[in-house]
Amino acid sequence: MKVLIIDDELDICYLLSGILKQQHYSTRYVTSLSDAEIALKNDPPSIIFLDNHLPDGLGIDFIQFIKSRYPVSKIIMITAHDSPAEHRKAYAEGVDVFIPKPFTKEKIYSAINEITA
């Protein structure tokens, strides 16, 4: 299963990639929404890990773009901005799972199990 990580923090990209590769997922990462558009067009993934605060915009505003063009891709939002309002907006936009940072390996596996079950 292919996974795309969209996060501007390289250490998060490396950490998530490592966690996911332990479960035999194929991972790629990008650090901006503009790079995410290209990555999605070239090779749509099954799962997308999406940060909210990126250098060229908010991930939460990118959810509808993903859902309208890649409806089978599941979105897991990961963000340090973990307010009830952020949760509501993310789910209203179509996110499948919301995980606050910092996260654990168990939370990542749980989120994947939830969307692939």
Side-chain angles (χ1 to χ4, degrees):
M1 193 174 298
K2 293 183 234 171
V3 177
L4 176 63
I5 301 162
I6 306 168
D7 198 306
D8 61 330
E9 296 179 61
L10 285 176
D11 51 343
I12 296 291
C13 294
Y14 297 147
L15 175 64
L16 267 175
S17 289
I19 289 170
L20 295 166
K21 285 179 182 177
Q22 289 175 355
Q23 297 295 312
H24 309 289
Y25 289 97
S26 170
T27 65
R28 294 175 297 145
Y29 66 86
V30 294
T31 57
S32 69
L33 296 175
S34 57
D35 288 344
E37 283 188 46
I38 295 165
L40 287 164
K41 182 179 177 186
N42 291 337
D43 192 16
S46 301
I47 300 171
I48 300 165
F49 281 87
L50 177 63
D51 186 21
N52 195 19
H53 293 264
L54 294 154
D56 55 350
L58 294 175
I60 210 161
D61 296 332
F62 195 62
I63 295 167
Q64 278 300 310
F65 172 87
I66 296 168
K67 288 294 185 176
S68 66
R69 289 166 179 81
Y70 310 97
V72 297
S73 293
K74 301 293 185 182
I75 303 171
I76 300 172
M77 177 152 272
I78 50 171
T79 183
H81 302 274
D82 180 31
S83 70
E86 294 270 325
H87 279 245
R88 284 191 301 276
K89 184 169 183 186
Y91 283 111
E93 292 295 318
V95 78
D96 296 288
V97 179
F98 190 104
I99 300 175
K101 290 179 184 176
F103 52 81
T104 63
K105 181 174 20 177
E106 291 74 23
K107 284 185 182 178
I108 298 301
Y109 292 155
S110 175
I112 290 173
N113 287 337
E114 182 179 332
I115 61 174
T116 59

